[in-house]
Amino acid sequence: MGGEPADVVDLATGDDETHGRDAIGPAGTATPEGRRTPGTSVGGVEKLSTRQVYENPWMVVREDRIRRPDGTDGIFGVIDKPDYALIVPAEEDRLHLVEQFRYPLGLRRWEFPQGTAPDRAEADPLELARRELREETGLRAARMTQIGTLDVAPGMSSQRGRVFLATELTEGQPERELTEQDMRTAWFSRAEVVGMIRRGEFTDAQSIAALGLLLLHEQRM
């Protein structure tokens, strides 16, 4: 953002196109402050020690002992998850959304396709975006444009994400994982999406932020 040109990948000529990277780490991996090793100090906050509290195939929860710039000690509870990709599939005035059951909320809700690599692996953001789009919707994009970066919950999580605009779309069969078998997909006009936001029917924070990035991207064009 900030006036810098977005990364654009034209996939119509093949899958081996190179693409730019932003400043969040090699091969798209995040390098946030929370993942630094004990004994290091960034921004005046020193990480004294860390202990793992819990882990599963999707996340690690840890507690870090820290020392603030004024010399007082404290703790941070941090959730480490791999970086994710969020895709905005767009065709003329329409946007493609997915709907699924989100267990922590106990609700079904609409959002843009998004996800991480399995087993907490780090993946190239572009390849991850292409895979998530194909798996969740069956859509293939001949053109993928990176339009921004999002931090999920910087007060408690180190996870970051990249947002891609997917255009020149062709339809195919979804390749969903077992956890996504209840997923539905549909095209909505932009006016319908805005109406869903106003009525509180479209509440995914990352998706709403991605819609804002899309609008900013279009203003630069």
Side-chain angles (χ1 to χ4, degrees):
M1 296 177 64
E4 297 179 358
D7 294 339
V8 178
V9 183
D10 188 343
L11 302 178
T13 57
D15 295 342
D16 296 326
E17 300 290 332
T18 58
H19 57 285
R21 305 195 186 282
D22 62 19
I24 65 172
T29 58
T31 53
E33 309 299 340
R35 296 182 189 175
R36 63 185 185 271
T37 56
T40 59
S41 177
V42 176
V45 177
E46 181 183 2
K47 181 176 179 180
L48 302 175
S49 66
T50 186
R51 71 181 183 94
Q52 183 173 299
V53 178
Y54 171 79
E55 73 170 323
N56 64 30
W58 300 277
M59 70 177 71
V60 171
V61 180
R62 59 182 165 85
E63 184 178 273
D64 292 352
R65 290 183 55 249
I66 58 98
R67 181 158 295 151
R68 304 181 186 91
D70 66 357
T72 59
D73 292 348
I75 61 170
F76 269 111
V78 181
I79 302 170
D80 286 326
K81 299 187 70 173
D83 296 334
Y84 71 98
L86 184 149
I87 308 93
V88 181
E91 185 178 83
E92 297 178 349
D93 187 49
R94 302 189 304 163
L95 301 172
H96 199 81
L97 305 181
V98 300
E99 189 222 43
Q100 61 183 315
F101 179 71
R102 289 301 193 181
Y103 180 83
L105 293 178
L107 298 170
R108 298 190 65 86
R109 66 176 187 176
W110 290 97
E111 57 196 43
F112 286 121
Q114 56 190 288
T116 62
D119 299 319
R120 302 202 307 263
E122 297 287 358
D124 177 85
L126 174 63
E127 293 303 316
L128 180 60
R130 293 173 58 203
R131 194 199 72 191
E132 289 298 321
L133 179 65
R134 181 182 69 251
E135 287 184 353
E136 295 190 4
T137 70
L139 295 171
R140 275 73 169 171
R143 190 173 180 84
M144 298 282 279
T145 306
Q146 183 187 323
I147 59 175
T149 303
L150 298 175
D151 295 330
V152 177
M156 63 179 179
S157 177
S158 63
Q159 188 179 37
R160 308 191 80 192
R162 290 194 184 187
V163 179
F164 289 85
L165 171 63
T167 54
E168 300 178 27
L169 300 165
T170 56
E171 296 191 5
Q173 289 298 315
E175 302 172 4
R176 295 175 184 138
E177 300 174 355
L178 290 176
T179 57
E180 299 170 334
Q181 294 306 301
D182 66 336
M183 184 176 287
R184 297 194 299 141
T185 67
W187 286 98
F188 294 86
S189 70
R190 294 196 182 199
E192 287 176 318
V193 174
V194 170
M196 293 164 66
I197 295 173
R198 287 175 172 166
R199 295 190 300 270
E201 299 169 2
F202 186 83
T203 57
D204 178 54
Q206 306 303 308
S207 295
I208 294 173
L211 184 60
L213 289 172
L214 174 62
L215 297 177
L216 292 174
H217 170 73
E218 291 175 340
Q219 289 177 3
R220 296 200 301 265
M221 295 177 63

